[in-house]
Amino acid sequence: MSTPNNSLQMIAYSIQNLLTLKDDNQKIHFDRLKLQVDIVANELRLGSIRQSELDIIHNTFTDEFLNDSLVGHIIRKPYGYNEDFRITDAIHDNFLSDDYPNWDRLIHASSIAKSIKSRKEYFKNYLTHKLNKSTTPKKMLMIAPGSGRSLLELYKRVNPNLKTDCLDLNKNSIHYYRGLTQEFSNQINYINESIHSFNVTEKYDMVWIEGVFEYMDDVTFVNTLKQIQTYINNDGDIVISNISKKNTSKNIMEILFNWQCTYRNRLELNNLAIKSNLKPSQINIRKDAIGINSFLHIK
């Protein structure tokens, strides 16, 4: 194998061209870049390219690009992970940077962006239906709620008789969605702590987790789910989202954006739930409207 790999060099060259071209001249070059990414993804699966060699691609981007675009933010991971609060809110707002809008459109057209938007609607619809049927106050734990946009829109829609604890290890995330949801601060509590060290003093009616478990391996998934089961009361339920394997943007995400997820189908989610000491009768797996997200419902 040559060093660096010719396919990687081709992508690096395409990136250099795209960073200098004006918007009107970019489409054909983006189409070519996508084909080159598919070739590299296949070579990576076959073992002719090592994961570490992908740095050749990411090092091609200029500092200006990395600092001024959504793609650059995702590659840099300034908060330690791809799907941070700024990215999720930028996706909800369809944000485009001034200098690199076509690069940002790659994000908005991706399956991960569609999954983030779709699970927000699923969250609002499910909770609205559930809360409208209830005549008693409810208490929910929301783990790592992204930007807080889902929670804000839920409260604006129904202003529910609902107390929510938001648990997040990242102080920057808490600061962001505390500001976003300020008008409902009397109903929302913010806790800067890890899932595993969290001390529950009062059981919850619901635990909601989205955009978390697809970044866990199977062992961590099982251990974390066992822990979360201790957080709910006897009639409580847990809902966990996980992006499915129907991700047509997988190659772009992994090769170009350096964005890794663990995709799971219904059978895999069911098996992991069983390994977490749950009975089949407690497990219900649903899809969102566009079929990208799976939701593991546990009662």
Side-chain angles (χ1 to χ4, degrees):
M1 181 178 64
S2 61
T3 305
N5 179 279
N6 287 336
S7 300
L8 296 173
Q9 288 181 313
M10 289 173 63
I11 289 181
Y13 181 72
S14 292
I15 290 170
Q16 289 169 350
N17 277 343
L18 280 164
L19 291 179
T20 59
L21 289 171
K22 294 187 179 297
D23 290 354
D24 293 343
N25 300 319
Q26 286 186 344
K27 184 181 183 306
I28 189 171
H29 293 277
F30 270 116
D31 290 341
R32 183 182 297 121
L33 177 63
K34 291 174 185 177
L35 292 174
Q36 293 167 344
V37 165
D38 288 340
I39 291 171
V40 167
N42 187 55
E43 292 182 354
L44 188 65
R45 282 189 288 270
L46 293 174
S48 56
I49 293 178
R50 298 186 300 272
Q51 186 72 35
S52 60
E53 291 181 271
L54 297 183
D55 287 346
I56 295 171
I57 295 173
H58 307 134
N59 291 339
T60 304
F61 293 108
T62 64
D63 288 341
E64 179 185 0
F65 176 86
L66 293 173
N67 290 323
D68 294 346
S69 67
L70 291 184
V71 174
H73 185 95
I74 289 169
I75 292 170
R76 287 192 301 117
K77 301 184 183 70
Y79 301 105
Y81 52 100
N82 293 115
E83 195 180 324
D84 64 38
F85 56 92
R86 293 198 182 279
I87 287 299
T88 55
D89 230 19
I91 286 171
H92 289 316
D93 288 341
N94 294 308
F95 172 85
L96 295 175
S97 57
D98 291 336
D99 295 327
Y100 305 101
N102 286 338
W103 282 96
D104 294 342
R105 288 187 178 99
L106 287 178
I107 300 290
H108 295 302
S110 69
S111 292
I112 191 68
K114 292 174 183 177
S115 79
I116 288 170
K117 290 180 177 179
S118 182
R119 74 189 186 209
K120 181 183 71 170
E121 297 308 309
Y122 187 97
F123 170 81
K124 291 191 297 182
N125 293 337
Y126 179 78
L127 267 294
T128 298
H129 177 73
K130 188 175 183 67
L131 293 167
N132 283 343
K133 291 197 309 180
S134 175
T135 58
T136 59
K138 298 295 182 183
K139 188 172 183 181
M140 175 173 71
L141 176 66
M142 198 169 182
I143 297 175
S147 67
R149 183 72 59 180
S150 300
L151 197 59
L152 173 66
E153 293 185 11
L154 173 70
Y155 274 92
K156 281 188 170 182
R157 174 187 283 189
V158 297
N159 195 11
N161 190 5
L162 173 71
K163 294 287 187 180
T164 303
D165 284 344
C166 293
L167 181 68
D168 205 311
L169 186 59
N170 191 301
K171 290 182 179 179
N172 294 298
S173 296
I174 292 177
H175 178 75
Y176 188 88
Y177 57 71
R178 185 196 296 272
L180 193 68
T181 59
Q182 183 62 39
E183 62 188 288
F184 301 104
S185 59
N186 62 324
Q187 294 163 278
I188 303 173
N189 182 40
Y190 311 92
I191 305 168
N192 182 210
E193 200 168 335
S194 164
I195 296 173
H196 304 290
S197 63
F198 181 46
N199 184 25
V200 177
T201 56
E202 183 182 352
K203 301 285 187 176
Y204 293 94
D205 300 298
M206 168 172 286
V207 178
W208 188 279
I209 316 105
E210 59 184 46
V212 175
F213 276 72
E214 54 246 53
Y215 299 101
M216 296 180 182
D217 59 32
D218 288 353
V219 172
T220 307
F221 186 115
V222 169
N223 291 337
T224 304
L225 182 50
K226 287 178 180 178
Q227 178 73 25
I228 290 172
Q229 290 175 56
T230 66
Y231 297 170
I232 59 171
N233 60 40
N234 291 334
D235 295 323
D237 57 339
I238 301 168
V239 182
I240 296 169
S241 76
N242 202 121
I243 189 169
S244 75
K245 294 187 174 182
K246 294 181 179 180
N247 178 8
T248 57
S249 306
K250 183 176 185 291
N251 290 345
I252 286 285
M253 284 175 58
E254 295 185 356
I255 303 301
L256 208 58
F257 302 164
N258 195 22
W259 191 335
Q260 313 291 329
C261 291
T262 301
Y263 309 99
R264 295 182 173 99
N265 59 33
R266 292 168 61 91
L267 179 60
E268 289 167 333
L269 287 173
N270 184 79
N271 290 342
L272 290 172
I274 295 295
K275 289 180 180 179
S276 304
N277 300 328
L278 291 162
K279 299 175 182 177
S281 59
Q282 295 176 275
I283 302 166
N284 183 16
I285 301 172
R286 306 177 189 177
K287 290 283 188 183
D288 61 6
I290 59 175
I292 292 180
N293 294 297
S294 294
F295 293 86
L296 173 59
H297 288 254
I298 297 162
K299 186 71 174 178

